[in-house]
Amino acid sequence: MSFFYTVKYPRINIKSLSIQKVNLTEYKVVWSLTMKGVAKKTESAIYVDYENEKIIFKTQLDINRRMWEVGENSFFMNDHVLVDICLIAEK
């Protein structure tokens, strides 16, 4: 069984809808997350770190898998899944 039906839905897309600066190293972001052809809004904080010639962006998304009908009822699988994202950019 494929939880994500990857043959029919080969991609998961995330797009920022709004970005609000909290301070020098933190931003609040509203995202549009599309899985299995269904787009839903979610929010997270992005933390920015500067390291030599690199800029590091980190965030964690708390996704309710039930909103996208991912997986079946399970005693062992939590409805909320945490996804860590890290992007490293060079200056």
Side-chain angles (χ1 to χ4, degrees), residues 6 10 12-13 20 23 36 40 42 45 50 52 54-55 57 61 74 78-79 85-87 89:
T6 55
I12 296 173
N13 295 314
Q20 179 182 12
N23 58 49
K36 295 174 61 179
K40 304 270 186 186
T42 188
Y50 302 91
N52 298 323
K54 297 178 181 174
I55 304 171
F57 303 90
L61 300 176
S74 172
N78 196 326
D79 288 346
I85 299 172
C86 180
L87 172 70

Side-chain angles (χ1 to χ4, degrees), residues 2 6 8 10 14 17 26 28 33-34 36 39 48 52-56 58 61 63 70-71 73 75 80 82 87 89:
S2 172
T6 55
K8 186 173 181 180
I14 187 166
L17 299 175
E26 181 180 351
K28 179 182 172 188
L33 178 63
T34 304
K36 295 174 61 179
V48 182
N52 298 323
E53 294 296 313
K54 297 178 181 174
I55 304 171
I56 303 166
K58 292 182 180 179
L61 300 176
I63 298 171
V70 173
N73 287 332
F75 180 73
H80 288 268
L82 296 177
L87 172 70

